[in-house]
């Protein structure tokens, strides 16, 4: 008999979490105006709000913290990280920033101007927010298969080359500052982009003279899917696949709080020296001096180790197996999720789960609140609230997909915790037809409203 799979690490430290009563949770969510972001962390039993900055660092990373160089300028920790970025991604020019949205802010301050368009694959909230804040427009060119949650396309993060070409042909070169490719594509369900598609995007970009930028928050998970799903890559290492992927990029932004397995930090890297010189100015204005850029030396050290760990060994197998452990339980119970399962989260199809809730009443948010009340589990809405209002018409944008995202922190929870999440959703699924109304907005911000929105029950 073959031995069963087991994680290739052991637990050295534990943190207590509190299992509350439903009555307590009803009070807390009401006080939070039905916005899960407003809950205190000690009011949550299992926190799947995000996988960003919530993972557990390794002993090597904790050791690296202790040797961080906190010099204001020229820190050795900066050079350790710079060398690791060059080694893994191949970029000569690198700026540290405090997180991914900061990298977007700095880069887009250089490249994106009013009236321009930025094509890509299902831009995530901060990416779209930074584009629209500059009075430019994000154009989604994701393949149609991404919106069929039951379809088995292995790379639902792919960009439709015909859609992309239509954008490139219908606008001048000056109107398109960049093409952005999100690896993996969060908004479409944590779905990967194939190497074939990356090459096609590069070819189209070269034809029209447009730069390509990778949003690299989950670059290693994307490489794992290429290794496991794309012909010709099964015998290549993650490092080799990553190196090949980034040959086709002119630059990268990265929230290191995901595949860097750190609590804070980000990367902006590029090949173009002129971009770099302009970005340095904005980095100093917004982040800090260019050799720390919003990061402490200790965090740069931990990130350098994290990038090494995420691209070597069995880490990715452990990580993605746990996500799929939860997802497969839900599939077996008949709960609708985005298939095939992605890398960092399970995305529950809220419209199919709660068909009686009108789209105007925020279906995915309604399901997220139900799961919190049922089991003390905090997920996050990836749907109409996140889609925001159209900046011109001020009307709600209703995306094709309404997801409850259950983002799994790295090396943080056991499969017993996943069992609690699955059971909670199963209990709601059994009584789903009794849930017939959702929520309405009481107060919202003009952009990226989902972080601070206040709601009330219909």
């Amino acid at each position: 008999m073959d031995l069963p799979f087991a994680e290739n690490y052991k637990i050295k430290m534990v943190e207590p979490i509190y299992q509350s009563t439903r009555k307590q949770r009803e009070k807390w969510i009401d006080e939070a105006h039905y916005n899960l972001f407003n809950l205190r962390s000690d009011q949550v039993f299992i926190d799947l709000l995000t996988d960003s900055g919530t993972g557990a660092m390794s002993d090597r990373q904790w050791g690296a913290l202790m040797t961080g160089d906190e010099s204001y300028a020229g820190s050795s920790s900066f050079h350790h990280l710079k060398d690791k970025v060059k080694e893994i991604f191949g970029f000569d020019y690198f700026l540290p920033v405090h997180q991914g949205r900061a990298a977007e802010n700095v880069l887009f301050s250089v490249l994106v101007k009013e009236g321009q368009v930025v094509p890509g694959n299902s831009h995530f909230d901060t990416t779209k927010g930074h584009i629209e804040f500059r009075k430019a427009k994000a154009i989604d060119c994701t393949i149609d298969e991404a919106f069929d949650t039951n379809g088995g396309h292995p790379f639902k993060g792919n960009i439709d080359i015909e859609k992309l070409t239509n954008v490139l042909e219908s606008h001048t070169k000056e109107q398109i500052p960049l093409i952005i490719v999100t690896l993996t594509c969060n908004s479409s369900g944590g779905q990967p982009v194939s190497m074939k598609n990356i090459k096609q995007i590069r070819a189209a970009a070269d034809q029209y003279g447009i730069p390509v930028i990778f949003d690299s928050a989950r670059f290693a998970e994307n490489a794992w899917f290429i290794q496991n799903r794309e012909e010709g890559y099964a015998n290549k290492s993650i490092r080799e696949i990553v190196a090949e992927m980034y040959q086709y990029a002119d630059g990268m932004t990265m929230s290191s709080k995901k595949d860097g397995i750190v609590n804070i930090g980000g990367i902006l890297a590029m090949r173009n020296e002129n971009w770099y010189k302009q970005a340095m100015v904005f980095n100093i204005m917004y982040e800090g001096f260019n050799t720390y850029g919003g990061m402490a030396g200790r965090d740069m050290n931990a990130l350098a180790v994290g990038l090494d760990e995420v691209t070597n060994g069995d880490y990715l197998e452990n990580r993605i197996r746990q996500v799929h452990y939860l997802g497969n339980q839900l599939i077996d119970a008949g709960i609708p999720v985005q298939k095939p399962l992605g890398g960092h989260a399970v995305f529950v199809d809220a419209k199919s789960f709660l068909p009686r809730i009108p789209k105007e009443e925020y279906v995915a948010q309604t399901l997220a609140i139900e799961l919190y009340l049922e089991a003390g589990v905090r997920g996050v809405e990836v749907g109409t609230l996140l889609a925001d209002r159209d900046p011109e018409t001020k009307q709600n944008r209703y995306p094709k997909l309404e997801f409850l995202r259950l983002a799994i922190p790295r090396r943080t929870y056991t499969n017993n915790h996943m069992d609690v999440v699955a059971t909670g959703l199963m209990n709601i699924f059994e009584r789903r037809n009794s849930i017939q109304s959702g929520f309405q907005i009481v107060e919202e911000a003009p952009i990226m409203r989902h972080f601070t929105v206040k709601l009330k029950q219909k």
Side-chain angles (χ1 to χ4, degrees):
M1 180 183 295
D2 291 336
L3 294 173
F5 176 82
E7 293 80 6
N8 65 336
Y9 58 85
K10 58 184 180 180
I11 297 168
K12 184 175 287 189
M13 184 178 72
V14 296
E15 176 184 352
I17 53 179
Y18 174 64
Q19 194 163 14
S20 57
T21 66
R22 184 180 179 102
K23 185 175 181 180
Q24 288 175 312
R25 295 193 292 272
E26 288 172 349
K27 176 177 180 290
W28 293 334
I29 195 66
D30 179 70
E31 292 172 345
H33 301 284
Y34 296 94
N35 182 343
L36 294 152
F37 284 95
N38 288 338
L39 292 170
R40 291 165 50 112
S41 62
D42 56 9
Q43 295 170 340
V44 176
F45 181 49
I46 300 171
D47 201 345
L48 308 185
L49 182 78
T50 182
D51 62 319
S52 179
T54 56
M57 291 197 299
S58 69
D59 54 351
R60 288 180 61 215
Q61 288 180 290
W62 280 106
L65 284 175
M66 301 306 295
T67 58
D69 177 1
E70 305 305 338
S71 301
Y72 186 92
S75 161
S76 62
S77 297
F78 165 80
H79 289 285
H80 291 158
L81 182 54
K82 183 178 187 294
D83 291 346
K84 190 59 66 176
V85 169
K86 173 65 175 177
E87 174 188 332
I88 294 175
F89 302 106
F91 293 115
D92 289 320
Y93 301 107
F94 156 71
L95 291 169
V97 291
H98 79 272
Q99 62 184 84
R101 70 192 63 181
E104 292 170 343
N105 188 36
V106 171
L107 182 64
F108 292 177
S109 293
V110 174
L111 298 182
V112 180
K113 305 293 187 292
E114 182 176 347
Q116 292 181 323
V117 299
V118 180
N121 54 339
S122 296
H123 310 69
F124 200 57
D125 57 351
T126 60
T127 311
K128 184 184 290 184
H130 279 298
I131 292 168
E132 293 182 347
F133 178 74
R134 289 166 174 81
K135 297 183 180 180
K137 183 179 181 182
I139 301 179
D140 186 0
C141 298
T142 311
I143 58 171
D144 291 339
E145 290 89 338
F147 307 107
D148 175 9
T149 56
N150 290 312
H153 194 293
F155 291 98
K156 286 185 175 179
N158 281 358
I159 285 179
D160 185 310
I161 299 303
E162 183 177 348
K163 291 180 184 178
L164 176 62
T165 301
N166 288 339
V167 176
L168 300 179
E169 287 184 346
S170 60
H171 296 82
T172 66
K173 178 179 176 180
E174 290 71 28
Q175 290 176 303
I176 309 172
L178 60 105
I179 299 165
I180 192 152
V181 185
T182 307
L183 309 169
T184 55
C185 187
N186 194 351
S187 296
S188 66
Q191 298 293 308
V193 180
S194 70
M195 189 72 78
K196 179 181 178 181
N197 190 242
I198 289 171
K199 293 176 182 179
Q200 291 172 329
I201 295 164
R202 179 75 259 176
D206 286 344
Q207 182 179 349
Y208 292 89
I210 308 298
V212 176
I213 302 296
F214 287 175
D215 177 342
S216 307
R218 300 174 181 90
F219 77 96
E221 292 173 10
N222 199 96
W224 185 92
F225 283 113
I226 290 173
Q227 185 186 61
N228 283 269
R229 292 182 182 174
E230 191 162 0
E231 185 178 354
Y233 289 91
N235 295 320
K236 290 194 174 186
S237 70
I238 295 297
R239 276 288 181 97
E240 290 171 330
I241 294 169
V242 170
E244 183 176 344
M245 287 163 55
Y246 281 83
Q247 288 178 13
Y248 303 106
D250 296 292
M252 64 178 284
T253 62
M254 181 179 179
S255 169
S256 303
K257 298 162 69 177
K258 285 83 167 176
D259 273 354
I261 332 178
V262 289
N263 304 123
I264 198 69
I267 290 170
L268 174 58
M270 61 205 74
R271 304 189 196 284
N272 187 307
E273 184 178 8
N274 185 46
W275 288 2
Y276 174 68
K277 289 179 178 178
Q278 294 178 70
M280 287 172 64
V281 176
F282 289 106
N283 206 55
I284 291 172
M285 288 171 59
Y286 298 144
E287 294 294 295
F289 187 64
N290 290 316
T291 59
Y292 75 89
M295 293 183 71
R298 55 183 175 269
D299 294 314
M300 288 190 280
N301 266 12
L303 174 53
V305 174
L307 291 172
D308 195 57
E309 291 181 350
V310 80
T311 53
N312 282 307
D314 298 324
Y315 160 80
L316 285 167
E317 187 76 13
N318 294 323
R319 191 301 187 268
I320 293 173
R321 269 182 180 265
Q322 185 172 60
V323 175
H324 290 195
Y325 175 81
L326 172 59
N328 285 325
Q329 284 195 70
L330 301 183
I331 291 170
D332 291 344
I335 293 173
V337 302
Q338 173 69 294
K339 296 190 284 285
L341 297 166
H344 72 285
V346 177
F347 288 72
V348 181
D349 181 354
K351 284 197 288 190
S352 296
F353 194 113
L354 296 177
R356 295 174 180 244
I357 306 296
K359 65 179 182 180
E360 294 83 5
E361 296 180 13
Y362 309 107
V363 187
Q365 182 72 5
T366 301
L367 182 55
I369 291 165
E370 286 289 338
L371 180 59
Y372 175 70
L373 292 172
E374 177 70 28
V377 176
R378 177 162 63 173
V380 72
E381 185 256 24
V382 178
T384 301
L385 280 179
L386 182 142
D388 254 322
R389 296 185 184 273
D390 183 284
E392 296 176 1
T393 68
K394 307 303 180 185
Q395 298 300 306
N396 271 335
R397 290 184 283 208
Y398 295 103
K400 294 179 182 178
L401 299 173
E402 280 274 348
F403 285 136
L404 164 61
R405 187 187 72 175
L406 304 171
I408 314 301
R410 294 161 179 81
R411 303 186 292 207
T412 300
Y413 292 114
T414 69
N415 282 354
N416 286 339
H417 294 105
M418 300 302 103
D419 292 340
V420 172
V421 178
T423 303
L425 277 167
M426 291 175 198
N427 290 345
I428 301 167
F429 196 60
E430 288 180 0
R431 57 177 174 82
R432 64 191 183 280
N433 290 329
S434 67
I435 304 169
Q436 301 189 33
S437 63
F439 293 84
Q440 66 185 59
I441 292 176
V442 175
E443 183 180 312
E444 63 182 297
I447 194 167
M448 289 190 274
R449 64 183 179 184
H450 57 293
F451 289 113
T452 57
V453 68
K454 293 182 179 179
L455 302 165
K456 69 177 182 179
Q457 292 178 301
K458 286 288 285 187

